Amino acid sequence: MTKIELGCCGAYCRTCREYIGGKCKGCKTGYATGERDIRKSKCTMKVCCYGERKLETCADCNDYLKCEKIKGFHGKSGYKYGKYREAIEYIRENGYGSFFKKSGEWKGAYGKLD
Ligand code: SF4
Ligand code: SF4
């Protein structure tokens, strides 16, 4: 399981080129060790999900269906946002184990789930 490399919003850091190439630290790595400070994050979802609620992703949140933060992010124009939503909803329905099996060979932060 690589939940630490899965973004709170559903972007999959482990398979993302920016992360692999070292241009991005990923969503959640470095906070547990003190290398990064969650209070300095500009991402309100991450501050809420990982910082305050201590959840791995928004898929684990009881307030997911009524959350305007995640709804707004997933509803942004751009293909990837819909794919991040699909990842979170897939996890809510099928669990992390199935998600990691399906996403293992992705070449970016999102991919096919069926
Ligand atoms: S948008 Fe926020 S929640 Fe999504 S991967 Fe980036 S930092 Fe994490
Ligand atoms: S769904 Fe909304 S309330 Fe729940 S953890 Fe994510 S950002 Fe926070």
Side-chain angles (χ1 to χ4, degrees), residues 44-45 48-49 53 55 57-58 61-64 67 69-70:
T44 55
M45 291 168 299
C48 174
C49 172
R53 298 190 177 213
L55 302 172
T57 75
C58 292
C61 180
N62 291 334
D63 295 325
Y64 173 77
C67 175
K69 282 194 274 283
I70 193 76

Side-chain angles (χ1 to χ4, degrees), residues 7-11 13 26-28 41 43 45-46 73 84:
C8 293
C9 65
C13 304
C27 182
K28 298 178 302 200
S41 172
C43 177
M45 291 168 299
K46 175 160 71 176
F73 182 78
Y84 299 159

Side-chain angles (χ1 to χ4, degrees), residues 18-89:
E18 305 293 309
Y19 178 75
I20 294 166
K23 288 190 195 142
C24 177
K25 291 190 175 99
C27 182
K28 298 178 302 200
T29 55
Y31 292 110
T33 56
E35 267 167 77
R36 294 164 86 189
D37 182 352
I38 192 81
R39 291 166 304 180
K40 293 188 181 151
S41 172
K42 293 191 182 82
C43 177
T44 55
M45 291 168 299
K46 175 160 71 176
V47 171
C48 174
C49 172
Y50 194 65
E52 293 165 7
R53 298 190 177 213
K54 315 288 180 211
L55 302 172
E56 291 297 340
T57 75
C58 292
D60 301 330
C61 180
N62 291 334
D63 295 325
Y64 173 77
L65 292 176
K66 56 180 184 203
C67 175
E68 294 302 327
K69 282 194 274 283
I70 193 76
K71 213 180 280 174
F73 182 78
H74 284 162
K76 280 163 83 161
S77 63
Y79 183 70
K80 65 181 183 182
Y81 300 106
K83 293 300 285 183
Y84 299 159
R85 180 179 55 75
E86 190 181 294
I88 290 295
E89 294 193 352

